[in-house]
Amino acid sequence: MQDDMRRRLVAHKNLVELGNAALPAIEHELAKIDLGTVSHREIATLVAGLATALHDIDEDASRRYISDSLARPITPVMRAALRSIIHFTMDDWRRSSVGEILVLEHGKLDSRFEASRHVGRWLANVPEADLVGISRIYIIPEVSEPEFAGTYLQAVSVIEIVWRRASKHRIGNAVRRFMIEKTLYHEVGHHALQHIELGQDPDQEKQADRYAWKMMRKAHPNLLMLTLPLRFLGASQRAKKAKDLETA
């Protein structure tokens, strides 16, 4: 019921970590609320939060609660919220693990990319102490107009990585994997450096970038050779811009 998103996320994480032990209390609280009369935003937020925690702990229990709720009189806001929650299912994700980290690869991502295997191999380059506490890593397909390459949600210790679309050329795919790997290290860097969520804080971004390049140099001793394609692309783009300015 709090407006502080960070506190809400921490509360959610704590509930989910309790697992099945938390189910009776969550279901008891949800049963007390008449969804047909919910009008206050705070109560709607409480229901959505508890139902989401229930869904993350036990999808079957969540489906039963939501199905029963949707079959009864319910306000339009609550109906939309519950339908949104039940729309997410772990069946849509391929699951693997790296130590204590759950790696979730979206089912729409071409399995031939072997994204989870690459992520596991890259994480092997990271000191174990830097990975402690990361709960999940989501690997999602690139959309037509991507807004980000990766994110780190500090309150719940979750990393999300965008897997870039395949290129027609082998070198293009190598460059794409190189960039995805660097993004993964960047987000791990936010976790290892214990950054707090301040949006795109310039200092934190620089620190995470330095961490990422440190991991890249460790993973790729011949890093200079690997960066040549990126330098070539950058030089070509700069030359094209300069030529466009001359002819403008």
Side-chain angles (χ1 to χ4, degrees):
M1 296 174 69
Q2 306 237 358
D3 286 330
D4 187 336
M5 178 59 74
R6 174 177 169 75
R7 296 182 70 180
R8 284 160 58 177
L9 288 171
V10 170
H12 175 86
K13 179 182 179 182
N14 292 338
L15 273 177
V16 173
E17 286 181 347
L18 283 171
N20 291 334
L23 290 180
I26 294 174
E27 291 175 326
H28 176 72
E29 290 301 319
L30 287 172
K32 294 186 336 187
I33 301 171
D34 182 358
L35 300 184
T37 61
V38 171
S39 58
H40 296 290
R41 179 179 62 85
E42 291 84 359
I43 301 298
T45 302
L46 172 64
V47 173
L50 289 175
T52 301
L54 179 66
H55 194 65
D56 283 353
I57 296 170
D58 187 330
E59 285 193 11
D60 289 336
S62 170
R63 289 192 186 101
R64 288 194 296 271
Y65 167 74
I66 292 177
S67 295
D68 289 346
S69 299
L70 294 177
R72 299 171 182 163
I74 184 173
T75 62
V77 170
M78 289 313 320
R79 182 179 298 277
L82 294 183
R83 281 179 171 171
S84 175
I85 292 167
I86 205 171
H87 180 71
F88 178 90
T89 173
M90 291 297 289
D91 293 340
D92 291 338
W93 302 82
R94 294 188 284 267
R95 284 171 279 186
S96 59
S97 61
V98 177
E100 297 297 318
I101 303 173
L102 178 63
V103 178
L104 295 162
E105 178 183 335
H106 200 280
K108 289 184 178 180
L109 194 61
D110 193 330
S111 61
R112 290 175 296 180
F113 294 159
E114 298 185 297
S116 296
R117 184 181 68 83
H118 283 295
V119 166
R121 184 166 56 84
W122 296 334
L123 290 177
N125 298 313
V126 179
E128 289 186 12
D130 291 354
L131 299 176
V132 172
I134 297 176
S135 60
R136 296 184 178 190
I137 295 177
Y138 288 92
I139 310 172
I140 63 174
E142 183 178 21
V143 296
S144 56
E145 296 182 6
E147 297 181 359
F148 59 89
T151 60
Y152 171 61
L153 195 56
Q154 185 266 342
V156 288
S157 302
V158 166
I159 289 173
E160 189 174 50
I161 299 296
V162 175
W163 199 269
R164 297 171 182 268
R165 289 188 295 272
S167 169
K168 295 180 180 179
H169 306 288
R170 182 176 299 178
I171 190 170
N173 285 323
V175 170
R176 280 169 168 76
R177 283 197 301 272
F178 181 88
M179 296 172 70
I180 297 168
E181 181 180 3
K182 191 256 182 181
T183 297
L184 176 63
Y185 295 144
H186 179 97
E187 303 307 335
V188 170
H190 280 305
H191 174 80
L193 297 169
Q194 299 183 338
H195 288 164
I196 59 175
E197 292 161 33
L198 298 172
Q200 290 289 315
D201 180 76
D203 290 335
Q204 291 188 1
E205 292 303 315
K206 289 178 183 177
Q207 292 169 16
D209 243 9
R210 285 196 292 269
Y211 179 94
W213 283 115
K214 178 182 176 181
M215 292 299 106
M216 290 296 284
R217 287 192 295 271
K218 178 182 177 182
H220 307 284
N222 298 321
L223 184 60
L224 180 61
M225 294 300 296
L226 285 172
T227 57
L228 283 177
L230 295 178
R231 295 179 180 221
F232 175 77
L233 289 173
S236 298
Q237 290 175 351
R238 288 192 295 272
K240 184 177 183 302
K241 288 181 180 178
K243 185 175 180 179
D244 291 341
L245 288 173
E246 289 177 0
T247 57

